Amino acid sequence: MPSITRRKTIGLLTGCVTLTAIGGAVAYTTQKNAPNLIVKNQTKRELDITTVIRTADDNEVLVDDTASIPAKHDDGYTNLASNEPMDVTIRTETGLENTYRWEETDPENALSVSVSTDEIGFVVAKPP
């Protein structure tokens, strides 16, 4: 599983990460009051990736979105509920699916999701 590098972690947590989305570029900034999630397409082709984020306690849907993410690019979600566990499900058009129980949803944390041709991996990025 690909890992998040120290440089990427520091950049993610201290600055603004520019991500490409259909229709133009959107800037995602680490919020002081909510964690965020970054989905990285690490394949060599564009993929339709579905992200579903639910609160773990009451199963409330916070995000249910399908995005076409170009090869080697990111997409992200901000303003998520903080300090409560969330279930994150990632699905690809190729049939890959994985769910992660995100327990460490402190406002300064981020969840990095790496999508490769045969695996979906999750890493919680915490400040040093």
Side-chain angles (χ1 to χ4, degrees), residues 88-101:
V88 178
T89 300
I90 305 294
R91 253 185 326 272
T92 69
E93 66 187 69
T94 61
L96 279 178
E97 183 173 329
N98 200 358
T99 299
Y100 180 79
R101 171 65 59 100

Side-chain angles (χ1 to χ4, degrees), residues 17-117:
V17 179
T18 303
L19 305 170
T20 303
I22 294 176
V26 179
Y28 292 92
T29 305
T30 301
Q31 302 287 321
K32 292 205 178 277
N33 60 353
N36 63 64
L37 181 137
I38 303 295
V39 180
K40 170 109 176 139
N41 175 5
Q42 296 190 325
T43 69
K44 294 180 181 179
R45 69 178 193 89
E46 181 175 274
L47 279 179
D48 289 341
I49 299 175
T50 300
T51 302
V52 179
I53 304 171
R54 300 176 190 271
T55 58
D57 294 338
D58 60 8
N59 216 26
E60 175 189 353
V61 176
L62 302 174
V63 172
D64 187 349
D65 182 52
T66 300
S68 292
I69 304 176
K72 307 295 183 187
H73 282 83
D74 301 324
D75 197 8
Y77 302 92
T78 59
N79 297 320
L80 302 171
S82 62
N83 295 319
E84 78 176 277
M86 291 182 267
D87 291 324
V88 178
T89 300
I90 305 294
R91 253 185 326 272
T92 69
E93 66 187 69
T94 61
L96 279 178
E97 183 173 329
N98 200 358
T99 299
Y100 180 79
R101 171 65 59 100
W102 187 10
E103 298 283 346
E104 301 175 72
T105 58
D106 299 331
E108 66 274 5
N109 290 344
L111 181 62
S112 175
V113 182
S114 298
V115 178
S116 66
T117 55

